[in-house]
Amino acid sequence: MRKPLKRDRNGPQVHCILGTMGTRKKVHAFVRVKPTDDFAHEMIRYGGDNRTIDIHLRKDTRRGVVNNQQTDWSFKLDGVLHDASQEVVYETVAKDVVAQALDGYNGTIMCYGQTGAGKTYTMTGATENYKHRGILPRALQQVFRMVEERPTHAVTVRVSYLEIYNESLFDLLSTLPYVGPSATPMTIVENPQGVFIKGLSVHLTSQEEDAFSLLFEGETNRIIASHTMNKNSSRSHSIFTIYVEAHSRTLSEEKYITSKINLVDLAGSERLGKSGSEGRVLKEATYINKSLSFLEQAIIALGDQKRDHIPFRQCKLTHALKDSLGEGVVGAQGAGTGLGKSAAGGGNCNMVLVTNIYGEAAQLEETLSSLRFASRMKLVTTEPAVNEKYDAERMVKNLEKELALLKQELAIHDSLANRTLVNYDPLDEIQIAEINSQVRRYLEGTLDEIDIINLRQIQEVFNQFRVVLSQQEQEVESTLRRKYTFIDKNDFATISAVQKAGLVDVDGHLVGETDGQGFGLGVSAFSTKPGKKSKSKKMLKEVSSLAKKEGASSPVSGKDFEISTSKTQLTQSSKDGDVKDMLLRDRETSNIETLPSDSPKEELRPPRPGTPPAKPAAFEDFKNERGSEINRIFKENKSILNERRKRASETTQRINDIKREIDVTKEALNFQKSLREKQGEYENKGLMIIDEEEFLLILKLKDLKKQYRTEYQDLRDLRAEIQYCQNLVDQCRNRLLTEFDIWYNESFFIPEDMQMALKPGSSIRPGLLPISRIVSLHSYLKTMMGLQQAHKK
């Protein structure tokens, strides 16, 4: 039996959601240890199965002789990634999740851990080397390669990039020219299909290069800052989502599958005593720790089978990840009843957690906290289900075909039963009018019975009974209204006005009120005189109109209030946008490495020249000194890009040579075929007999085509790598030019006595303030010092 159709809220298309019930499974939790030279071998040990990690702490002797402090912990996870490359991490953690997404299963991969432990490196990777790319770019590459391996399906890929900063939602792809700023703030909305972000832009990507461009655009807009534990610390949570929709190319297939992959890069938890955060960075750290605390509370509640309520709405992070962590549309039951829920159950997706930890003894307490979170996450179970939907257009076409076949079969059945006059088409206006006439005559008694022909005629007879009854009720009501004035018992304003006007009898009965004995004509008021009947009706009409006017005034004030509130929200949103722009400018300059004040290079610094040098010469000095590391990375990336371009050019030349050889072989083969046809074809048991030369040409053509396909696939892979490397080169070039401008201005334009404010540990970081502001600040300080000296004199 077919499922009922449901209307999609995003458009007129109608489809039905069906989920194939999946088996319950635990969340996979892995731990990745950050490489370090100061690894605590005595405190951190790995099990022989590569899944267990043991932590040992020394007892605190200050607690005295009786000391019950716990010193040993053992955590069993799905895998321990120690000194593992980015490729090994992706093969272990994410490859299966991405592969199952094209089969209709949702997936979520989350990186969690202390600040500076390597979460962003695991998820996104580093821009210095192509081999160091993280889970996110590798997942995009795998999705598009799997799409190419499925020629029987038309697969559509879309992406979105969300940032949660200080409990506010931001679209990292809103800076694209064809998106534009949103007039209303983004909100998290729930419906029977799941949780989605209203106002978040979703972008169609037809090829791998387009997806990488969107990824780099979003990474450029992320907010980062610097503190003592991490020079490039992410100050926000980010969720990169890949939406996949696969339709069968067979036109008769109604069903198609959808899925999404959430790649979550959480901001790192930090202890303020260790990070030394102040000012804006302190406020960001407070929001980060608060949201991570709420995330842990939700995980604890999901792991407890006795809990009925899961606190997803405490913060934006847990609310946005509700599909992945908890409730979701699960199976056919969820399709019919809305949200499927289990007390200790997770969402309807494949969930993987990567916990990043330090291997140093100084960070052992934070490492223990992260491992406890991973252990709690393993208690959560999910129920992955295939997201199947029905295409509305294909379903309608198939139903129309089935309807035509059923009509033909019914016509054959009627002809065999000698019922040739039966018509199963919808009734026209003339037939409906005839049925209406029959119903009226039946009610008047002039017609004894109504002949039954088919099911449509029976339904229309009952419908006409309803029409006649409704018309009779309207006639009775209009007759009463011509003689009397009615008052609604729920209209308290009108009743109050009538009581003030004295239109009530001693027992409190209103004019026109029924007396409980059928259709009452009403009881007139005790003090009413026959000559004042028209005046009472006039007063009642005026009172009714007055009450309506009073009742209609309240929505206006409510509307005004809503408008003023929305204006306030828009103003606040614009202010947040200005702050975000300032943070983006701060991020571009926050990674400059400054030398300590007591370093030998600072003491041997040459005196400043009288006039600033030319920028080309200064740029060469900058590349050899302060910008040497960035310049080296830029040259390495550029050499890799040139090498990929050279290989692509050589591959293109080989493809052209193979194509020319294929054309020559085809011409020779056609010549042999025409020569064989002229000389006469020979057959043996139905098989065509060809000579050896033609057979060798066929084998050669087959090998050439195979070589052509192989070389063409290599060329496509090289083009994707060239696109990725080109983005890396552009990023390094922009970084080099930006830091040179900051260095040039601070070295030759800022007064020497003001440069003390730019030393490490000061309140002003290099590049944070424009040169004009610093110069004007220097003049202001000189003026204030002069005024103080004059005051002392």
Side-chain angles (χ1 to χ4, degrees):
M1 187 174 180
R2 295 185 178 273
K3 295 289 181 180
L5 297 179
K6 294 186 179 180
R7 185 170 299 276
D8 188 46
R9 63 176 297 157
N10 296 324
Q13 187 177 6
V14 178
H15 55 260
C16 174
I17 300 178
L18 286 179
T20 303
M21 293 295 290
T23 58
R24 300 187 69 84
K25 57 188 294 188
K26 296 285 187 180
V27 172
H28 292 287
F30 297 88
V31 59
R32 188 179 190 185
V33 185
K34 184 177 182 180
T36 178
D37 295 332
D38 190 18
F39 187 82
H41 294 280
E42 297 180 356
M43 299 181 178
I44 303 176
R45 296 179 182 177
Y46 306 123
D49 57 352
N50 203 27
R51 293 187 175 186
T52 307
I53 181 168
D54 299 327
I55 306 296
H56 173 73
L57 277 179
R58 297 174 182 173
K59 282 194 175 184
D60 190 359
T61 57
R62 292 174 296 179
R63 295 191 176 187
V65 179
V66 180
N67 188 351
N68 297 323
Q69 177 187 1
Q70 184 178 354
T71 58
D72 296 286
W73 292 266
S74 181
F75 301 91
K76 187 173 181 61
L77 305 171
D78 293 289
V80 178
L81 303 171
H82 181 57
D83 291 335
S85 64
Q86 293 281 69
E87 184 176 359
V88 172
V89 171
Y90 182 79
E91 294 285 334
T92 306
V93 172
K95 187 175 181 180
D96 292 337
V97 176
V98 177
Q100 292 186 27
L102 266 74
D103 295 328
Y105 291 94
N106 294 337
T108 299
I109 303 173
M110 182 188 302
C111 288
Y112 175 90
Q114 183 186 1
T115 179
K119 299 179 298 301
T120 303
Y121 177 78
T122 300
M123 181 58 66
T124 308
T127 59
E128 289 82 3
N129 196 326
Y130 179 72
K131 293 182 179 179
H132 294 166
R133 65 193 190 279
I135 293 176
L136 210 160
R138 292 176 187 268
L140 287 173
Q141 189 176 37
Q142 181 182 351
V143 166
F144 282 98
R145 288 189 176 178
M146 293 179 65
V147 168
E148 294 176 358
E149 296 172 0
R150 298 196 177 191
T152 58
H153 287 75
V155 183
T156 305
V157 181
R158 296 179 175 87
V159 299
S160 65
Y161 211 172
L162 173 69
E163 181 184 49
I164 304 176
Y165 173 72
N166 289 356
E167 279 303 288
S168 299
L169 304 176
F170 296 96
D171 186 359
L172 291 177
L173 302 180
S174 62
T175 55
L176 295 172
Y178 57 86
V179 176
S182 177
T184 57
M186 292 191 297
T187 56
I188 302 176
V189 181
E190 295 184 39
N191 61 11
Q193 285 75 36
V195 178
F196 69 97
I197 311 300
K198 184 178 181 181
L200 180 65
S201 61
V202 181
H203 303 262
L204 177 65
T205 56
S206 57
Q207 54 186 350
E208 188 176 343
E209 292 82 1
D210 298 339
F212 282 142
S213 299
L214 294 172
L215 172 60
F216 279 104
E217 178 70 21
E219 285 296 317
T220 305
N221 296 329
R222 282 201 69 181
I223 298 176
I224 64 173
S226 176
H227 53 74
T228 57
M229 297 188 65
N230 190 0
K231 187 175 66 174
N232 298 319
S233 175
S234 300
R235 312 309 296 166
S236 62
H237 311 297
S238 68
I239 304 175
F240 189 93
T241 306
I242 305 172
Y243 306 87
V244 180
E245 184 174 311
H247 291 259
S248 174
R249 297 188 185 274
T250 305
L251 296 179
S252 60
E253 182 64 33
E254 315 169 344
K255 192 165 53 178
Y256 67 97
I257 60 174
T258 62
S259 63
K260 64 179 180 179
I261 309 171
N262 291 322
L263 301 169
V264 186
D265 182 14
L266 298 175
S269 61
E270 59 184 77
R271 293 199 175 185
L272 303 181
K274 291 185 177 181
S275 62
S277 302
E278 296 178 355
R280 175 181 58 81
V281 182
L282 175 61
K283 180 182 177 182
E284 294 169 348
T286 304
Y287 275 103
I288 291 170
N289 290 338
K290 183 178 178 181
S291 61
L292 292 177
S293 176
F294 288 144
L295 174 62
E296 188 166 4
Q297 291 178 18
I299 296 302
I300 293 174
L302 285 168
D304 187 2
Q305 296 184 0
K306 298 180 181 179
R307 292 285 292 270
D308 293 329
H309 172 68
I310 312 298
F312 286 116
R313 296 176 180 267
Q314 291 188 111
C315 67
K316 299 287 177 58
L317 175 63
T318 54
H319 199 183
L321 294 177
K322 184 177 180 180
D323 278 347
S324 304
L325 298 174
E327 300 175 14
V329 179
V330 285
Q333 295 178 357
T337 61
L339 297 178
K341 185 180 184 303
S342 175
N348 64 327
C349 72
N350 294 308
M351 181 78 179
V352 178
L353 173 71
V354 181
T355 304
N356 297 85
I357 63 172
Y358 279 91
E360 301 172 357
Q363 312 295 338
L364 206 56
E365 292 184 6
E366 288 77 10
T367 297
L368 268 175
S369 177
S370 299
L371 291 174
R372 289 193 188 101
F373 180 86
S375 299
R376 294 187 182 112
M377 181 65 85
K378 276 188 64 63
L379 298 177
V380 180
T381 57
T382 61
E383 191 171 355
V386 178
N387 300 300
E388 297 177 345
K389 297 183 181 180
Y390 280 99
D391 186 89
E393 294 182 1
R394 295 186 180 182
M395 183 184 293
V396 170
K397 290 180 180 178
N398 292 339
L399 290 175
E400 288 176 349
K401 291 180 180 179
E402 186 175 355
L403 182 61
L405 291 174
L406 290 175
K407 283 185 176 181
Q408 293 176 3
E409 187 174 351
L410 193 57
I412 294 174
H413 180 271
D414 290 338
S415 62
L416 294 176
N418 295 324
R419 300 177 67 228
T420 57
L421 299 178
V422 179
N423 185 14
Y424 297 99
D425 292 332
L427 301 175
D428 54 18
E429 295 181 358
I430 299 176
Q431 292 173 330
I432 293 174
E434 176 62 27
I435 294 175
N436 183 274
S437 176
Q438 292 177 0
V439 169
R440 289 183 180 277
R441 283 184 288 154
Y442 179 80
L443 293 174
E444 292 171 357
T446 58
L447 183 65
D448 294 334
E449 60 182 17
I450 301 175
D451 295 332
I452 300 302
I453 301 175
N454 55 27
L455 183 60
R456 289 183 187 273
Q457 188 251 0
I458 296 174
Q459 293 176 342
E460 189 59 36
V461 166
F462 281 101
N463 185 40
Q464 293 303 318
F465 270 110
R466 185 188 298 113
V467 171
V468 172
L469 179 61
S470 177
Q471 291 176 354
Q472 291 179 353
E473 288 179 351
Q474 292 177 2
E475 291 175 359
V476 172
E477 184 178 353
S478 61
T479 302
L480 292 175
R481 287 187 179 278
R482 284 196 299 268
K483 295 183 178 181
Y484 305 98
T485 301
F486 293 91
I487 299 176
D488 188 0
K489 290 184 178 181
N490 297 324
D491 192 352
F492 299 105
T494 305
I495 293 175
S496 176
V498 169
Q499 289 175 350
K500 292 180 181 179
L503 301 178
V504 184
D505 62 359
V506 177
D507 297 329
H509 296 288
L510 299 177
V511 177
E513 184 178 4
T514 59
D515 56 1
Q517 303 296 329
F519 287 95
L521 299 179
V523 181
S524 62
F526 180 77
S527 60
T528 304
K529 296 182 179 180
K532 296 183 179 180
K533 183 176 180 181
S534 59
K535 183 177 180 181
S536 300
K537 288 187 177 181
K538 183 177 181 182
M539 289 175 61
L540 185 59
K541 291 181 180 179
E542 291 177 355
V543 170
S544 300
S545 62
L546 179 61
K548 291 180 180 179
K549 289 181 180 179
E550 291 176 355
S553 62
S554 58
V556 177
S557 61
K559 185 177 181 181
D560 295 340
F561 176 76
E562 291 176 358
I563 292 174
S564 63
T565 305
S566 63
K567 288 182 178 178
T568 305
Q569 292 175 352
L570 289 176
T571 306
Q572 184 66 25
S573 176
S574 64
K575 290 180 180 178
D576 292 343
D578 296 337
V579 175
K580 185 178 178 183
D581 293 339
M582 185 184 75
L583 294 175
L584 290 175
R585 292 195 297 270
D586 177 36
R587 187 189 70 168
E588 295 175 356
T589 59
S590 63
N591 299 324
I592 301 178
E593 298 179 1
T594 57
L595 294 172
S597 58
D598 56 347
S599 106
K601 293 184 180 180
E602 187 69 24
E603 297 175 357
L604 300 176
R605 184 175 180 178
R608 175 186 291 183
T611 59
K615 277 199 172 184
F619 186 65
E620 296 297 326
D621 295 339
F622 173 78
K623 289 193 294 185
N624 295 329
E625 296 175 1
R626 183 165 168 178
S628 60
E629 182 65 19
I630 303 176
N631 189 40
R632 180 187 64 80
I633 296 173
F634 173 73
K635 289 182 178 180
E636 289 180 359
N637 289 339
K638 196 170 183 180
S639 63
I640 294 174
L641 176 62
N642 293 333
E643 188 267 338
R644 295 291 192 278
R645 286 178 174 172
K646 182 179 178 182
R647 285 173 54 187
S649 177
E650 294 173 354
T651 305
T652 304
Q653 183 63 35
R654 289 196 300 270
I655 290 174
N656 293 334
D657 295 339
I658 294 173
K659 183 64 172 62
R660 284 192 290 269
E661 192 170 355
I662 287 175
D663 294 339
V664 172
T665 306
K666 283 184 177 180
E667 291 180 1
L669 188 59
N670 292 333
F671 175 77
Q672 289 292 330
K673 288 182 179 179
S674 62
L675 185 63
R676 173 165 48 82
E677 291 174 355
K678 291 180 182 179
Q679 294 177 356
E681 297 179 347
Y682 297 94
E683 293 185 1
N684 183 15
K685 297 181 180 180
L687 300 177
M688 189 67 62
I689 299 175
I690 59 176
D691 58 3
E692 182 179 1
E693 185 175 358
E694 186 175 355
F695 179 72
L696 293 176
L697 287 174
I698 293 174
L699 293 179
K700 183 179 179 181
L701 183 61
K702 184 178 180 181
D703 293 338
L704 288 173
K705 288 183 178 180
K706 184 178 180 181
Q707 295 178 18
Y708 182 87
R709 287 192 294 269
T710 303
E711 294 290 344
Y712 186 76
Q713 182 62 36
D714 293 343
L715 181 61
R716 295 190 66 177
D717 295 340
L718 283 172
R719 286 176 177 174
E721 293 180 8
I722 288 171
Q723 177 72 16
Y724 191 92
C725 294
Q726 182 65 51
N727 288 325
L728 297 182
V729 170
D730 294 339
Q731 281 190 352
C732 290
R733 182 185 293 110
N734 295 333
R735 176 76 179 278
L736 185 64
L737 294 176
T738 301
E739 296 206 7
F740 166 71
D741 290 337
I742 296 171
W743 171 82
Y744 186 83
N745 292 328
E746 293 174 351
S747 300
F748 301 107
F749 289 98
I750 298 177
E752 294 182 356
D753 53 350
M754 286 297 298
Q755 289 189 358
M756 296 301 296
L758 301 177
K759 297 296 182 181
S762 62
S763 59
I764 304 178
R765 294 199 301 274
L768 184 61
L769 294 178
I771 298 303
S772 59
R773 295 283 298 277
I774 296 179
V775 174
S776 62
L777 180 61
H778 178 252
S779 303
Y780 171 74
L781 291 176
K782 279 190 173 182
T783 305
M784 292 299 296
M785 290 175 63
L787 290 175
Q788 289 178 358
Q789 293 176 359
H791 181 69
K792 289 180 180 180
K793 292 179 180 180

